[in-house]
Amino acid sequence: MSAAAPTLLADLGGTNVRFGIAHPEEDQPLVQESIRRYHVKDYASLADAAKQYFKETGHQAQRAIIAAAGRIDNGETVKVTNNPWAINAKSLAGELDLEWVHLVNDFAAQSMAVMLMSPDKVIDDKGTTELMQVGGAAVPRIGGKDEQTFVVVGPGTGLGVGGLLIRGDKVSVLQTEGGHAGFAAHSAEDIEILKVLNLRYGRVSNERLISGGGLQNLYTAICEISGQKPDEKITPEDITKRATDGSCAMCQRAVETFAGIFGSVAGDLVLTLGAWDGVYLTGGMTPILIPWIQKHFRERFEAKGRFRDTMEQVPTQAIMNPEPGLIGGAALAIVEAGGTPLRR
């Protein structure tokens, strides 16, 4: 724990790194105009990208919190999943002349972010709110009880899974690699999809279906099951575009199936963690797929046999703010400065 100071935030995924600056003592700790995005492939290391960020923006920082899409080893190193960079906290601090660098799992940061978000905050001229209710259950309320457990889950380049635990005034996060848990087929179509992907990959994880690459996998598997020839060059963006404009029936089925399986996976996580207080859906794909998530997520989420009645009462919200990793980093900066992001 240390006194508040300007903190460099980084949200590091497989494709992009986003930087921002936090002032932990402020009511709105993340400086919105400080946010910049860089392509990972354009830089040899995180340090090189950060130096370019400081050069372009003129911002300065005394410390850093790096939210990375990978497993953090002993709090000191991370090899980012789906990304060539390997990061050592002490080495990075030395290269950037910082007091310290703290590494956290990206979904640990996103789990913290929800404490600084509001379902009433409008984020664009279309009236989109920072948090959007999915389904008819009650809205999750952080700090509504002394003991709460939430799941934070979402697809992007991979599938991230985190947990948020509130115990009185204490807040902690579960840093997991739950996206790599094995896929559990629940329907006849799931079983056929699993057969196709099992031949391709052997073991099939949830991430093989619920991610950008997972959407492509679903599309090609559904084409194969239906006896259709897939477009070999199709991208996740192509699939969602063709599903939206109705030009491809296989793409429509793929996004519908994606949203349903996403619901199954999220529901399984609730059962596993006992996260009866709610689920936050995040990741780069969630805002894009929200029309299908609104239609197909909850049925599969609630379809848990003897626990259906219980699952019907578990609220789900989609994080629509495009920067949950940086907001979560700002929340962690508050904790590091001796404060709490918990707003009762």
Side-chain angles (χ1 to χ4, degrees):
M1 187 181 299
S2 52
T7 303
L8 174 68
L9 309 175
D11 180 14
L12 177 56
T15 305
N16 300 305
V17 57
R18 290 175 169 84
F19 291 112
I21 298 293
H23 291 289
E25 72 282 4
E26 301 291 338
D27 289 339
Q28 299 295 324
L30 175 60
V31 180
Q32 288 295 320
E33 58 269 24
S34 72
I35 298 171
R36 298 287 189 282
R37 183 182 71 171
Y38 299 85
H39 295 296
V40 167
K41 65 180 178 60
D42 293 338
Y43 299 90
S45 68
L46 178 60
D48 287 343
K51 289 175 183 178
Q52 182 66 24
Y53 169 78
F54 285 133
K55 179 180 178 181
E56 289 183 0
T57 65
H59 286 295
Q60 296 180 332
Q62 294 177 230
R63 53 191 66 149
I65 294 174
I66 312 298
R71 183 177 180 272
I72 312 299
D73 292 323
N74 299 317
E76 291 295 328
T77 61
V78 60
K79 173 63 181 74
V80 184
T81 309
N82 304 314
N83 176 314
W85 294 348
I87 301 163
N88 179 281
K90 289 182 179 179
S91 297
L92 183 62
E95 288 184 81
L96 298 179
D97 193 25
L98 300 173
E99 293 175 7
W100 49 251
V101 170
H102 287 179
L103 303 177
V104 298
N105 178 269
D106 60 334
F107 266 74
Q110 295 207 32
S111 297
M112 293 288 288
V114 298
M115 288 183 289
L116 298 181
M117 293 185 179
S118 168
D120 300 320
K121 182 179 178 180
V122 176
I123 59 173
D124 61 25
D125 55 9
K126 298 178 182 178
T128 305
T129 53
E130 197 167 35
L131 297 170
M132 180 181 294
Q133 187 172 350
V134 174
V139 174
R141 192 165 81 83
I142 300 289
K145 297 185 295 185
D146 281 343
E147 292 195 4
Q148 293 179 297
T149 302
F150 300 89
V151 163
V152 182
V153 57
T157 304
L159 176 64
V161 175
L164 175 65
L165 282 69
I166 297 173
R167 301 294 184 267
D169 291 329
K170 292 186 177 181
V171 178
S172 58
V173 294
L174 297 175
Q175 303 189 47
T176 89
E177 289 298 330
H180 296 281
F183 170 58
H186 291 283
S187 69
E189 183 182 52
D190 285 359
I191 292 168
E192 293 304 312
I193 291 169
L194 179 59
K195 288 179 181 177
V196 172
L197 297 184
N198 183 257
L199 290 173
R200 186 181 305 169
Y201 296 112
R203 179 181 183 272
V204 179
S205 67
N206 288 327
E207 186 171 276
R208 293 293 191 189
L209 296 96
I210 308 303
S211 63
L215 183 58
Q216 291 170 300
N217 286 336
L218 283 170
Y219 164 78
T220 56
I222 288 169
C223 286
E224 182 173 330
I225 293 165
S226 303
Q228 303 289 319
K229 182 176 175 58
D231 178 348
E232 299 293 344
K233 296 182 179 180
I234 201 165
T235 66
E237 292 78 12
D238 293 332
I239 294 170
T240 55
K241 180 178 182 298
R242 296 175 193 179
T244 300
D245 64 25
S247 62
C248 174
M250 294 298 99
C251 292
Q252 288 178 309
R253 283 186 59 189
V255 295
E256 290 168 359
T257 302
F258 184 105
I261 293 175
F262 188 16
S264 286
V265 170
D268 286 344
L269 288 167
V270 170
L271 296 176
T272 301
L273 297 180
W276 314 117
D277 296 292
V279 177
Y280 290 91
L281 310 179
T282 186
M285 297 182 70
T286 291
I288 298 168
L289 295 174
I290 196 66
W292 295 281
I293 290 172
Q294 289 285 18
K295 291 179 182 178
H296 303 285
F297 179 92
R298 283 293 304 197
E299 172 52 35
R300 292 282 297 262
F301 177 82
E302 295 170 2
K304 299 301 178 187
R306 289 168 288 178
F307 273 82
R308 174 180 280 277
D309 289 349
T310 301
M311 296 300 292
E312 287 175 352
Q313 303 307 311
V314 177
T316 49
Q317 280 193 310
I319 296 176
M320 303 300 286
N321 189 302
E323 303 297 348
L326 294 180
I327 294 172
L332 289 165
I334 292 172
V335 174
E336 292 288 353
T340 177
L342 187 60
R343 299 172 176 176
R344 294 186 181 275

